[in-house]
Amino acid sequence: FDKLSGVTSLTGKRFYSTVNIQNIKAKILFNESKLDYDFTADIEDNMNTKAMGTIFITPIQQQIYMTKFNFTYDGIDWQNDDDIKIFFNPYRFNIAQCAVKNGNSVLKAEGTIENNGTLDLLLSASKISGGILSKYFMGINDPNFKANGNMKTTIRGDFESPVIYSTCSLEDLSLKNFKLGNVIGKFDYSNKKIKTDFVFLDSTLNKTKPLISLNGTIPIDLSFGTVENRFPENESINVVLKSENFNLRSFGNVLPLIKNQSGILNADVKFTGTLNNPVYNGFLNLRDAYFTSTQNNLEYKCGTKLKFENNGIIIDSMVVANTGGTKYPGTLSGVGSVIFEGFNIK
């Protein structure tokens, strides 16, 4: 490339490989071993991206610098402050520096991928806002939902057998100034199994008495590449869900169709067996519960006692009744059972 220089441009309406890329525009200015680029494109229907920078082509390695990189995903804009730096040669792909942000929310990636598939990557997300979380995970942008989301993930091993360790937290959750609490957890993945440990804490971060806890082991194949069955159906599972004197008031008004709910939830449910043939064991009780229906603005009281046994749920009691405010009060009660085939109702 010592004596090669020039300018080229590219436009295209659509390019399809594993994703649909549209409205492609690229301009390239090359001068010997230096290549300046300006690229824009739309990816699928919910993302567009723009990148500007320089590529240095040397006999030892190729060096990619992005001075400007921004993308919009589901209406939320991300962009870099510092240069993004990526280096690669026949032996190694190195993400030396990569960070994008939206306000105070930051996404980062760094690490190496060796030519033999060995991985050493660090991914992180910090100060992710409630607006971003509600948009990406619930499909709505609720300005009343506040949160401080953080995650740190290391990926080692190789493409076929990655080893993943991740810690994450959703702190200071609130909705319309009602404090919901905090979610703190971690998971380890290796040998095609993921071990989880998550707790839901009150607003005081009382770790000695979690409101809800979820932990256990789930078989899953997170190998990078094509996998015939991500969830091995005949591998053992062991998951435990517990709650002790959890007041449903802590959910605020995030539950659909009801508001102003309260009630004490106690639960100790175990899921064992296999994904193809799970075994249920334990109980879930809700007492002294009240809520207001958003459909008719009437208040109700309710309670239930459930037993989880083998492949189903036994409903010992279930009651919903008016608390007043209507000329025609009534009570709905029931008992029975629910049988599952796998995790689906039979």
Side-chain angles (χ1 to χ4, degrees):
F1 300 100
D2 288 345
K3 297 182 180 180
L4 183 65
S5 62
V7 178
T8 186
S9 61
L10 170 70
T11 59
K13 289 185 178 180
R14 183 177 181 183
F15 173 79
Y16 184 82
S17 56
T18 56
V19 295
N20 187 20
I21 305 176
Q22 305 178 73
N23 303 320
I24 305 165
K25 294 182 181 180
K27 182 178 180 181
I28 300 172
L29 171 64
F30 51 96
N31 184 7
E32 297 184 347
S33 62
K34 179 183 177 183
L35 186 151
D36 295 317
Y37 61 91
D38 186 344
F39 174 84
T40 61
D42 298 332
I43 303 174
E44 298 295 344
D45 296 324
N46 56 358
M47 180 176 176
N48 60 71
T49 184
K50 179 178 179 64
M52 296 177 59
T54 302
I55 300 175
F56 294 97
I57 303 172
T58 71
I60 300 175
Q61 70 175 355
Q62 321 318 318
Q63 304 174 358
I64 301 176
Y65 293 86
M66 294 186 194
T67 55
K68 183 178 181 180
F69 175 70
N70 68 277
F71 68 92
T72 302
Y73 181 69
D74 268 359
I76 296 177
D77 297 322
W78 299 89
Q79 63 183 16
N80 64 314
D81 281 345
D82 301 318
D83 286 358
I84 294 174
K85 303 175 184 179
I86 300 174
F87 309 137
F88 64 94
N89 56 43
Y91 311 102
R92 180 181 296 111
F93 182 87
N94 178 23
I95 306 173
Q97 180 173 287
C98 180
V100 293
K101 63 186 299 186
N102 174 284
N104 293 324
S105 302
V106 180
L107 304 176
K108 289 185 178 181
E110 61 182 57
T112 59
I113 302 174
E114 305 290 341
N115 66 345
N116 62 1
T118 300
L119 306 170
D120 188 4
L121 300 171
L122 175 61
L123 310 177
S124 66
S126 59
K127 297 181 180 179
I128 306 301
S129 68
I132 294 174
L133 292 170
S134 63
K135 179 64 175 179
Y136 283 172
F137 292 100
M138 294 182 284
I140 58 173
N141 193 349
D142 190 343
N144 296 310
F145 180 62
K146 306 297 182 183
N148 176 15
N150 298 276
M151 183 193 73
K152 185 176 182 180
T153 301
T154 59
I155 305 175
R156 295 191 171 91
D158 55 41
F159 285 105
E160 293 298 322
S161 301
V163 177
I164 304 172
Y165 177 73
S166 183
T167 59
C168 54
S169 64
L170 296 174
E171 300 176 359
D172 304 324
L173 297 172
S174 66
L175 183 65
K176 294 182 179 179
N177 296 320
F178 186 91
K179 294 182 179 180
L180 302 176
N182 305 267
V183 178
I184 298 176
K186 63 180 180 179
F187 70 82
D188 292 292
Y189 171 82
S190 63
N191 299 321
K192 295 181 173 55
K193 289 186 178 181
I194 187 169
K195 297 180 180 179
T196 65
D197 187 3
F198 283 85
V199 292
F200 180 47
L201 307 177
D202 63 22
S203 58
T204 66
L205 284 170
N206 185 357
K207 295 182 180 180
T208 61
K209 193 176 182 180
L211 302 176
I212 300 176
S213 66
L214 176 68
N215 60 77
T217 302
I218 303 171
I220 184 173
D221 191 340
L222 295 181
S223 302
F224 297 103
T226 303
V227 177
E228 184 176 350
N229 189 2
R230 289 286 180 186
F231 295 92
E233 294 181 349
N234 296 315
E235 294 292 327
S236 298
I237 61 173
N238 189 351
V239 177
V240 179
L241 172 68
K242 288 186 178 183
S243 176
E244 184 176 355
N245 295 326
F246 172 54
N247 195 325
L248 298 185
R249 189 184 301 275
S250 297
F251 282 135
N253 288 330
V254 301
L255 301 177
L257 304 179
I258 66 173
K259 62 181 181 179
N260 303 328
Q261 79 284 340
S262 63
I264 304 302
L265 176 68
N266 288 282
D268 188 347
V269 183
K270 297 179 182 179
F271 305 92
T272 56
T274 65
L275 292 176
N276 190 44
N277 186 25
V279 177
Y280 307 88
N281 183 45
F283 69 89
L284 184 150
N285 297 333
L286 176 64
R287 60 178 174 83
D288 302 328
Y290 295 85
F291 66 90
T292 301
S293 170
T294 58
Q295 303 300 301
N296 55 24
N297 208 37
L298 293 178
E299 294 183 355
Y300 296 87
K301 59 183 178 180
C302 64
T304 187
K305 292 183 179 181
L306 307 178
K307 287 182 181 179
F308 292 77
E309 291 185 359
N310 298 322
N311 63 337
I313 302 174
I314 298 174
I315 304 172
D316 281 343
S317 66
M318 180 178 292
V319 177
V320 179
N322 294 105
T323 59
T326 177
K327 295 181 179 179
Y328 308 101
T331 299
L332 176 66
S333 61
V335 296
S337 62
V338 179
I339 305 300
F340 291 97
E341 185 170 336
F343 286 99
N344 301 313
I345 297 178
K346 189 173 181 179

